[in-house]
Amino acid sequence: MENKVISPCISICKNDPVTGYCYGCARTIEEKKIWKNENTKEEWKIKNLEEITSRMKGWQLETFKESYKYKLKNGISLVKKKLQEKN
């Protein structure tokens, strides 16, 4: 059975007006739509993950890596976890 590639969304969903990239995951709006399409191949998702992480630098990259790693292990992003803890 093939592992399912987990969405890179880390619950920081705002796009930079200049680049069009999301501040959280560095995807474009179009890439987000492709991720949600049930017919999108896992190979495309793997390639896109590599592409979006190559767009990130500094704090954005470190924040993404930490939150995505947490999401892979626990099923939710760090942002969602912190919101749950507040409530």
Side-chain angles (χ1 to χ4, degrees):
M1 188 169 158
E2 188 177 344
N3 285 346
K4 193 165 160 69
V5 181
I6 304 298
S7 165
C9 178
I10 58 170
S11 306
I12 304 170
C13 304
K14 283 246 187 257
N15 285 63
D16 181 286
V18 177
T19 64
Y21 298 147
C22 176
Y23 290 124
C25 67
R27 292 182 294 170
T28 63
I29 292 169
E30 187 59 32
E31 287 168 330
K32 289 178 184 183
K33 289 177 186 174
I34 295 169
W35 270 89
K36 287 184 179 183
N37 183 329
E38 64 187 37
N39 297 319
T40 299
K41 303 256 187 275
E42 299 297 294
E43 296 80 28
W44 183 91
K45 292 178 179 181
I46 292 166
K47 190 173 179 186
N48 186 245
L49 269 171
E50 293 168 3
E51 190 176 334
I52 65 173
T53 53
S54 74
R55 294 176 186 159
M56 299 180 211
K57 291 178 179 57
W59 66 266
Q60 183 187 27
L61 181 59
E62 294 309 311
T63 299
F64 175 78
K65 283 181 178 178
E66 180 183 357
S67 192
Y68 190 61
K69 182 178 174 183
Y70 185 88
K71 182 178 180 178
L72 292 175
K73 185 177 177 187
N74 300 286
I76 62 169
S77 69
L78 282 171
V79 170
K80 282 191 177 176
K81 176 187 177 256
K82 289 179 180 172
L83 285 172
Q84 286 177 351
E85 288 173 352
K86 274 186 176 178
N87 295 333

